[in-house]
Amino acid sequence: MKAMSGGVLFAAVVALAPAAGCTNVLGVTGLPTGTCGAATASDACEFCYYSACCDELTACEEDPSCASLTTCVGTCNGDPSCISGCGNPYSGDVVGEYNASIQCGLSQCSSACSGS
């Protein structure tokens, strides 16, 4: 992966997302819609993520590059090399925006997501 701001966090998310239990909201299967938008969260993890991280999620969803990165990561089924490959075509700003949404979920919702 090329050097980019936030690259270390992007790699950390690869390792932490499955352990956190929120694989759906952490980008492993893509960003879902929920209370941060028109739909409703389906579990406590999603509810926490949407409530605590709506600004970060919205910023990423509204940026076509960040949304595309999220979609790519969502196809990886947790495979670290696939996830790292998803970040390669994007600038540090895009990866940073993606990481902000992930970091928010990791820092704000670890308890709510530990059993998801």
Side-chain angles (χ1 to χ4, degrees):
M1 190 160 160
K2 61 185 167 184
M4 51 184 84
S5 66
V8 172
L9 179 57
F10 186 79
V13 169
V14 170
L16 294 175
C22 285
T23 55
N24 190 33
V25 292
L26 291 179
V28 175
T29 59
L31 288 177
T33 57
T35 57
C36 178
T40 303
S42 63
D43 61 31
C45 180
E46 287 181 358
F47 182 81
C48 177
Y49 201 76
Y50 302 154
S51 298
C53 305
C54 188
D55 291 343
E56 292 85 351
L57 288 169
T58 301
C60 186
E61 288 176 345
E62 290 179 351
D63 178 338
S65 294
C66 190
S68 179
L69 172 57
T70 300
T71 299
C72 180
V73 170
T75 66
C76 291
N77 295 316
D79 175 22
S81 62
C82 175
I83 294 170
S84 293
C86 287
N88 285 337
Y90 298 101
S91 71
D93 290 342
V94 171
V95 172
E97 189 172 51
Y98 174 83
N99 286 341
S101 69
I102 301 303
Q103 182 59 44
C104 180
L106 290 172
S107 66
Q108 300 295 318
C109 300
S110 61
S111 294
C113 297
S114 63
S116 297

